[in-house]
Protein backbone atom coordinates (compact mmCIF):
# COMPACT_ATOMS: atom_id res chain seq x y z
CA UNK A 1 0.00 0.00 0.00
CA UNK A 2 0.89 3.67 -0.08
CA UNK A 3 2.84 5.26 2.74
CA UNK A 4 4.50 8.55 3.65
CA UNK A 5 7.40 8.86 6.08
CA UNK A 6 8.20 12.24 7.53
CA UNK A 7 11.09 13.53 9.54
CA UNK A 8 10.21 13.29 13.19
CA UNK A 9 9.95 16.46 15.17
CA UNK A 10 9.73 18.65 16.94
CA UNK A 11 12.04 20.97 15.03
CA UNK A 12 13.16 24.21 16.68
CA UNK A 13 14.96 26.90 14.69
CA UNK A 14 15.97 30.50 15.15
CA UNK A 15 14.41 33.14 12.93
CA UNK A 16 16.11 33.40 9.49
CA UNK A 17 17.51 29.87 9.72
CA UNK A 18 17.29 27.41 6.83
CA UNK A 19 14.56 24.79 7.07
CA UNK A 20 14.45 21.26 5.70
CA UNK A 21 11.75 18.76 6.56
CA UNK A 22 12.34 15.39 4.98
CA UNK A 23 9.57 13.36 3.36
CA UNK A 24 9.82 10.06 1.52
CA UNK A 25 7.01 8.01 0.07
CA UNK A 26 6.07 4.55 -1.16
CA UNK A 27 3.47 4.29 -3.92
CA UNK A 28 2.85 2.61 -7.23
CA UNK A 29 2.67 4.62 -10.40
CA UNK A 30 2.96 8.38 -10.30
CA UNK A 31 1.22 9.87 -7.28
CA UNK A 32 0.64 13.56 -6.70
CA UNK A 33 2.54 14.98 -3.74
CA UNK A 34 1.54 17.72 -1.32
CA UNK A 35 2.65 19.67 1.70
CA UNK A 36 0.01 20.94 4.10
CA UNK A 37 0.43 23.32 7.04
CA UNK A 38 -1.70 23.39 10.19
CA UNK A 39 -1.61 26.37 12.52
CA UNK A 40 -2.78 25.85 16.13
CA UNK A 41 -6.50 25.20 16.40
CA UNK A 42 -7.09 25.36 12.65
CA UNK A 43 -7.68 23.01 9.76
CA UNK A 44 -5.03 22.02 7.24
CA UNK A 45 -4.07 24.43 4.48
CA UNK A 46 -2.55 23.30 1.21
CA UNK A 47 0.93 24.80 1.07
CA UNK A 48 2.25 23.43 -2.22
CA UNK A 49 1.93 20.53 -4.62
CA UNK A 50 3.69 18.64 -7.42
CA UNK A 51 2.22 16.14 -9.82
CA UNK A 52 5.09 14.66 -11.81
CA UNK A 53 8.77 13.90 -11.53
CA UNK A 54 11.07 16.94 -11.24
CA UNK A 55 8.13 19.30 -10.66
CA UNK A 56 8.91 21.97 -8.08
CA UNK A 57 6.05 23.22 -5.96
CA UNK A 58 6.49 26.60 -4.30
CA UNK A 59 4.48 28.99 -2.15
CA UNK A 60 5.24 31.64 0.49
CA UNK A 61 8.99 31.01 0.22
CA UNK A 62 8.61 27.25 0.71
CA UNK A 63 9.75 24.83 -1.98
CA UNK A 64 9.69 21.08 -2.58
CA UNK A 65 10.86 19.06 -5.59
CA UNK A 66 9.28 15.76 -6.67
CA UNK A 67 12.21 13.32 -6.87
CA UNK A 68 11.10 10.07 -8.44
CA UNK A 69 14.53 8.44 -8.23
CA UNK A 70 14.73 8.90 -4.46
CA UNK A 71 10.94 8.87 -3.84
CA UNK A 72 11.27 12.09 -1.88
CA UNK A 73 9.54 15.45 -1.55
CA UNK A 74 11.53 17.41 1.01
CA UNK A 75 10.22 20.78 2.16
CA UNK A 76 12.68 23.69 2.28
CA UNK A 77 12.67 27.37 3.13
CA UNK A 78 15.69 29.61 3.02
CA UNK A 79 14.78 31.89 5.92
CA UNK A 80 12.06 30.96 8.38
CA UNK A 81 9.97 33.43 10.34
CA UNK A 82 8.24 33.15 13.72
CA UNK A 83 4.93 33.05 11.82
CA UNK A 84 6.01 29.78 10.15
CA UNK A 85 5.61 27.96 13.46
CA UNK A 86 3.07 25.22 12.75
CA UNK A 87 2.71 21.51 12.03
CA UNK A 88 3.66 20.43 8.52
CA UNK A 89 2.21 17.33 6.83
CA UNK A 90 3.49 15.60 3.73
CA UNK A 91 0.84 13.71 1.73
CA UNK A 92 0.34 11.78 -1.48
CA UNK A 93 -2.62 11.03 -3.70
CA UNK A 94 -2.54 7.90 -5.84
CA UNK A 95 -2.70 8.14 -9.60
CA UNK A 96 -5.83 5.97 -9.77
CA UNK A 97 -8.87 5.01 -7.71
CA UNK A 98 -12.28 6.61 -7.53
CA UNK A 99 -11.86 8.29 -4.15
CA UNK A 100 -8.19 9.24 -4.57
CA UNK A 101 -7.68 9.16 -0.85
CA UNK A 102 -4.74 11.08 0.56
CA UNK A 103 -2.10 9.27 2.58
CA UNK A 104 -0.54 11.57 5.18
CA UNK A 105 2.72 11.52 7.04
CA UNK A 106 2.64 11.84 10.82
CA UNK A 107 3.38 15.57 10.79
CA UNK A 108 6.38 17.63 11.90
CA UNK A 109 6.01 20.33 14.53
CA UNK A 110 8.11 23.42 13.69
CA UNK A 111 8.81 26.12 16.25
CA UNK A 112 10.68 29.25 15.17
CA UNK A 113 12.18 31.38 17.95
CA UNK A 114 12.75 35.13 17.58
CA UNK B 1 -14.88 30.26 -5.18
CA UNK B 2 -15.33 27.18 -3.08
CA UNK B 3 -15.69 27.25 0.69
CA UNK B 4 -16.20 24.57 3.29
CA UNK B 5 -17.97 25.05 6.60
CA UNK B 6 -18.05 22.95 9.74
CA UNK B 7 -20.13 23.33 12.87
CA UNK B 8 -20.06 23.48 15.67
CA UNK B 9 -16.52 24.78 16.16
CA UNK B 10 -16.25 23.28 19.63
CA UNK B 11 -18.34 20.77 21.51
CA UNK B 12 -18.21 19.27 24.99
CA UNK B 13 -20.35 16.17 25.45
CA UNK B 14 -20.78 13.58 28.21
CA UNK B 15 -19.96 9.93 27.63
CA UNK B 16 -22.93 8.08 26.18
CA UNK B 17 -24.53 11.12 24.58
CA UNK B 18 -25.27 11.36 20.83
CA UNK B 19 -23.24 13.35 18.33
CA UNK B 20 -23.94 15.17 15.10
CA UNK B 21 -21.28 17.17 13.27
CA UNK B 22 -22.09 18.89 10.02
CA UNK B 23 -19.99 19.82 7.03
CA UNK B 24 -21.18 21.75 3.99
CA UNK B 25 -19.37 22.78 0.84
CA UNK B 26 -20.24 25.74 -1.36
CA UNK B 27 -19.24 26.55 -4.91
CA UNK B 28 -18.80 23.04 -6.31
CA UNK B 29 -20.97 20.12 -7.38
CA UNK B 30 -20.72 16.41 -6.65
CA UNK B 31 -17.50 16.68 -4.63
CA UNK B 32 -15.78 13.75 -2.96
CA UNK B 33 -16.09 14.41 0.77
CA UNK B 34 -13.99 13.11 3.65
CA UNK B 35 -14.11 12.97 7.46
CA UNK B 36 -10.83 12.79 9.39
CA UNK B 37 -10.04 12.66 13.10
CA UNK B 38 -6.90 14.06 14.63
CA UNK B 39 -6.10 13.00 18.17
CA UNK B 40 -4.03 15.37 20.29
CA UNK B 41 -0.46 15.59 19.02
CA UNK B 42 -1.05 12.99 16.34
CA UNK B 43 -1.58 12.69 12.62
CA UNK B 44 -4.79 12.37 10.66
CA UNK B 45 -6.97 9.29 10.59
CA UNK B 46 -9.41 8.93 7.69
CA UNK B 47 -12.81 7.90 9.06
CA UNK B 48 -15.23 8.04 6.12
CA UNK B 49 -15.39 9.20 2.55
CA UNK B 50 -18.22 9.70 0.09
CA UNK B 51 -18.20 9.92 -3.70
CA UNK B 52 -21.89 10.86 -3.96
CA UNK B 53 -25.27 11.22 -2.24
CA UNK B 54 -25.99 8.23 -0.04
CA UNK B 55 -22.60 6.62 -0.79
CA UNK B 56 -20.45 6.17 2.30
CA UNK B 57 -17.26 4.17 2.72
CA UNK B 58 -15.93 3.46 6.20
CA UNK B 59 -12.21 3.20 6.81
CA UNK B 60 -12.17 2.36 10.50
CA UNK B 61 -14.73 0.25 12.39
CA UNK B 62 -16.01 2.21 15.39
CA UNK B 63 -19.10 3.67 16.95
CA UNK B 64 -19.23 6.54 14.48
CA UNK B 65 -21.30 6.73 11.30
CA UNK B 66 -21.58 9.14 8.41
CA UNK B 67 -24.32 10.19 6.04
CA UNK B 68 -24.60 12.32 2.94
CA UNK B 69 -28.21 13.42 2.59
CA UNK B 70 -27.46 16.14 0.03
CA UNK B 71 -24.79 16.67 -2.60
CA UNK B 72 -22.80 19.17 -0.55
CA UNK B 73 -23.63 18.05 2.98
CA UNK B 74 -21.74 15.45 4.99
CA UNK B 75 -22.73 14.51 8.53
CA UNK B 76 -20.78 12.60 11.18
CA UNK B 77 -22.84 10.95 13.90
CA UNK B 78 -22.71 8.72 16.92
CA UNK B 79 -25.47 7.24 19.05
CA UNK B 80 -23.29 6.95 22.17
CA UNK B 81 -20.00 8.78 22.54
CA UNK B 82 -16.93 7.19 24.14
CA UNK B 83 -14.07 8.97 25.87
CA UNK B 84 -11.84 7.85 23.02
CA UNK B 85 -13.96 9.84 20.54
CA UNK B 86 -12.40 13.09 21.79
CA UNK B 87 -10.35 14.83 19.14
CA UNK B 88 -10.29 17.34 16.33
CA UNK B 89 -12.64 16.41 13.47
CA UNK B 90 -11.87 17.68 10.02
CA UNK B 91 -14.01 17.60 6.91
CA UNK B 92 -12.43 17.91 3.47
CA UNK B 93 -13.45 17.96 -0.18
CA UNK B 94 -11.42 16.91 -3.17
CA UNK B 95 -10.52 19.59 -5.66
CA UNK B 96 -11.50 19.38 -9.30
CA UNK B 97 -8.27 20.70 -10.78
CA UNK B 98 -7.04 17.22 -11.61
CA UNK B 99 -4.31 17.27 -8.98
CA UNK B 100 -6.43 15.42 -6.40
CA UNK B 101 -5.63 17.82 -3.60
CA UNK B 102 -8.06 18.08 -0.70
CA UNK B 103 -9.27 21.26 0.94
CA UNK B 104 -10.07 21.22 4.62
CA UNK B 105 -12.64 22.90 6.79
CA UNK B 106 -11.81 24.73 10.02
CA UNK B 107 -12.52 21.65 12.15
CA UNK B 108 -14.59 20.78 15.22
CA UNK B 109 -12.94 20.28 18.59
CA UNK B 110 -14.83 17.53 20.44
CA UNK B 111 -14.22 16.82 24.11
CA UNK B 112 -15.99 13.85 25.65
CA UNK B 113 -16.11 13.93 29.45
Amino acid sequence: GNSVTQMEGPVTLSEEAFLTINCTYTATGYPSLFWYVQYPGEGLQLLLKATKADDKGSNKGFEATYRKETTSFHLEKGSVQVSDSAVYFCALSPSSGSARQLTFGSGTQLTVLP
Amino acid sequence: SQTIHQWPATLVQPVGSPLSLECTVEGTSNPNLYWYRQAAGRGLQLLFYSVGIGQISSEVPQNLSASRPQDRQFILSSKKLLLSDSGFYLCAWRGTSGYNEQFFGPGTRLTVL
Side-chain angles (χ1 to χ4, degrees), chain A residues 36 38 51 99-101, chain B residues 34 38 49 99-102:
Chain A
Y36 283 85
Q38 185 179 31
T51 59
R100 305 287 176 94
Q101 300 169 39
Chain B
Y34 307 82
Q38 188 176 29
Y49 67 90
Y99 296 115
N100 300 319
E101 69 271 56
Q102 291 180 18

Side-chain angles (χ1 to χ4, degrees), chain B residues 46-62:
Chain B
L46 178 64
L47 302 175
F48 301 95
Y49 67 90
S50 172
V51 300
I53 296 174
Q55 300 178 63
I56 308 295
S57 296
S58 174
E59 289 296 299
V60 182
Q62 56 208 332

Side-chain angles (χ1 to χ4, degrees), chain B residues 27 54 69 73 91 97 101:
Chain B
Q73 185 184 33
C91 181
S97 68
E101 69 271 56

